Each structure stands twice: as structure tokens, then as C-alpha cells.
Amino acid sequence: MSSLAAKILTKDGVPPAVTFASKPKTLYELLNVQRSGANAAKVMPHHWFEKGFEGCYYQIHRVRYKWHEGGPTHGRAWGILHWRGKPTADKPSRIRGGLKFSWRLYESPEQHGVTYDPERARTVERRRTNLLMKFLEDQKQ
């Protein structure tokens, strides 16, 4: 590939497709890539995966995209929440937080060695609380 073509096809030495693939995705960006299988996809917010929630995901039933800034990056999605492997409802409900969180296709966290540790979760929460209290005290002074 010539140097001119490389400059056109890459940004900072990385092709745009790789940049898009590696960045965190909203629910609608993730489902748009899945186009043909979007209505049967199993998705979960990335922070559920990091916490090791096993069997927790949304089974997508319907997606309505909105065109925003050159692509269908916004919209509405409906699905059934499965919590600990069991569906929480009989009919699909609207999925909240589609733009707020980074989403991923469902994979069992245990397959990747991620497990939920309640003691670690409490320790992290205590550390966050202590940092917040210290910050507030510094702001008062």
C-alpha cells in the first residue's frame, strides 16, 4: 500500500474499522453491527460482565433505530431481562440505559475467569466512600 493510501485509510496508523471495533459501544451501535441477528441477540452491560454476574443478560426482541450524527447510534430497544438464568417477565419491556453504558454480546463471565466476589465488592465500595468523604472535607477547607 502506498503511503498516500495508508494516510487516507488510517487515522493515527490505525484503520477506522479497528478503531470502531475496539471502542466501547452503546447498545444501538452494538445491535446495528449485528443487523441480521439483532432481534435474537443476547446482550449485557459491560459492568455486569466485569462484576461476574452469571446468567444475567437481555434477550432482544425489537429494536427501533434513530439516525443521529451520520448513523443509527440512538434508538429504542425492547427485550426480556434474564437474571441468574431465569426470565424476569413474560413479555418484552423497554431496555433502559442503552446510551449510558458500554454494552457487549453476552458471554459467560466464568469462561473468562471473572467471578463475583462480595468481599471485593464491599472493599471497593468502602474505598470509593472514603475517597468521596476526603474530597468533600478538602472542599470545605
Side-chain angles (χ1 to χ4, degrees):
M1 176 184 319
S2 71
S3 62
L4 179 59
K7 287 180 184 177
I8 293 171
L9 295 175
T10 62
K11 181 178 181 181
D12 300 324
V14 181
V18 172
T19 303
F20 177 77
S22 61
K23 79 173 187 127
K25 290 176 187 50
T26 67
L27 176 60
Y28 311 107
E29 289 171 338
L30 178 66
L31 292 175
N32 186 42
V33 172
Q34 300 297 319
R35 270 305 181 157
S36 61
N39 288 338
K42 292 179 181 180
V43 296
M44 65 189 305
H46 191 72
H47 63 272
W48 287 4
F49 178 82
E50 290 174 340
K51 291 179 180 179
F53 291 171
E54 181 66 33
C56 302
Y57 59 89
Y58 283 98
Q59 178 76 41
I60 302 297
H61 281 261
R62 180 175 166 216
V63 182
R64 186 184 317 156
Y65 297 102
K66 290 183 183 176
W67 200 264
H68 186 264
E69 294 183 6
T73 58
H74 288 61
R76 292 183 181 180
W78 291 265
I80 295 177
L81 172 63
H82 292 255
W83 195 255
R84 304 285 184 214
K86 298 178 184 173
T88 59
D90 293 333
K91 63 180 193 172
S93 59
R94 184 158 174 226
I95 298 173
R96 303 285 180 185
L99 292 173
K100 242 184 235 184
F101 307 117
S102 169
W103 290 77
R104 63 182 294 144
L105 292 174
Y106 174 72
E107 295 177 284
S108 173
E110 287 185 0
Q111 292 174 345
H112 296 279
V114 179
T115 57
Y116 179 70
D117 181 9
E119 183 57 38
R120 183 173 180 270
R122 282 193 291 277
T123 303
V124 169
E125 193 58 39
R126 254 186 258 123
R127 194 176 310 142
R128 286 181 184 161
T129 304
N130 290 340
L131 287 171
L132 179 62
M133 296 302 289
K134 185 176 178 183
F135 174 75
L136 291 174
E137 287 175 9
D138 290 344
Q139 291 295 320
K140 287 180 182 177
Q141 294 173 358

